[in-house]
Amino acid sequence: MSNEGKKVSVHYTGTLDDGTKFDSSYDRGEPLSFTCMAGMMIPGFDEAVKTMAPGEKKTVVLQPDEAYGPRDEHKVAQLQFSMLPGAERLEVGQDIRLATADGIPMPCKVVDKDDESVTVDMNHPLAGKALTFEIELVDVQGE
């Protein structure tokens, strides 16, 4: 049986190697629904759900290439205050949104700041990390 192309609902908890929970549908009180294998989810999560049956539970460990990819140091940029109006008011650790030249929003984190510039990291916060998911398939529509 394949769930490819079907709308599925799952409950899940995601943790890092050290056991730190980074996300859980249980905490929100409702399952996550998506179309399986439609590119809506990270590749390894989609692949894990693809062959599950309703009520089935499984634990998968996804390497970075199956999740948010490796960290890319080219996505860390130092911007002069003159390039980014208001940057002098930003604080290290702050999450901000910049835009690409095409106007596409790019979430990033301020990772350093000095008297003339701010350094931002545009990598996904989970890039470069192995992720463990405990997944429960709640429902499949279109069977």
Side-chain angles (χ1 to χ4, degrees):
M1 171 190 91
S2 174
N3 294 323
E4 187 168 355
K6 298 174 183 170
K7 185 175 180 181
V8 297
S9 296
V10 299
H11 265 304
Y12 69 92
T13 298
T15 56
L16 302 175
D17 285 342
D18 66 2
T20 302
K21 179 171 56 172
F22 63 84
D23 194 16
S24 176
S25 63
Y26 293 105
D27 292 347
R28 290 186 294 281
E30 63 181 76
L32 172 69
S33 296
F34 61 96
T35 302
C36 188
M37 303 304 289
M40 300 167 74
M41 303 299 293
I42 55 176
F45 195 95
D46 249 348
E47 193 61 41
V49 173
K50 182 174 152 182
T51 58
M52 291 179 71
E56 183 180 349
K57 295 180 181 181
K58 74 164 61 167
T59 300
V60 295
V61 178
L62 306 181
Q63 296 307 310
D65 63 329
E66 302 169 291
Y68 293 98
R71 267 194 61 75
D72 181 352
E73 290 309 315
H74 291 100
K75 291 184 175 182
V76 177
Q78 185 177 22
L79 306 172
Q80 298 301 310
F81 289 158
S82 60
M83 297 170 62
L84 189 60
E88 62 278 356
R89 293 188 302 272
L90 296 174
E91 300 292 332
V92 173
Q94 187 174 350
D95 292 317
I96 62 171
R97 283 194 180 274
L98 299 178
T100 65
D102 299 333
I104 298 170
M106 173 68 65
C108 48
K109 182 177 280 299
V110 177
V111 293
D112 198 15
K113 181 181 175 183
D114 60 28
D115 292 337
E116 300 172 359
S117 66
V118 64
T119 303
V120 296
D121 185 348
M122 295 169 273
N123 282 287
H124 188 283
L126 296 173
K129 297 182 180 187
L131 309 177
T132 299
F133 287 97
E134 294 176 15
I135 305 170
E136 176 186 1
L137 184 61
V138 176
D139 188 42
V140 177
Q141 295 178 10
E143 290 192 86

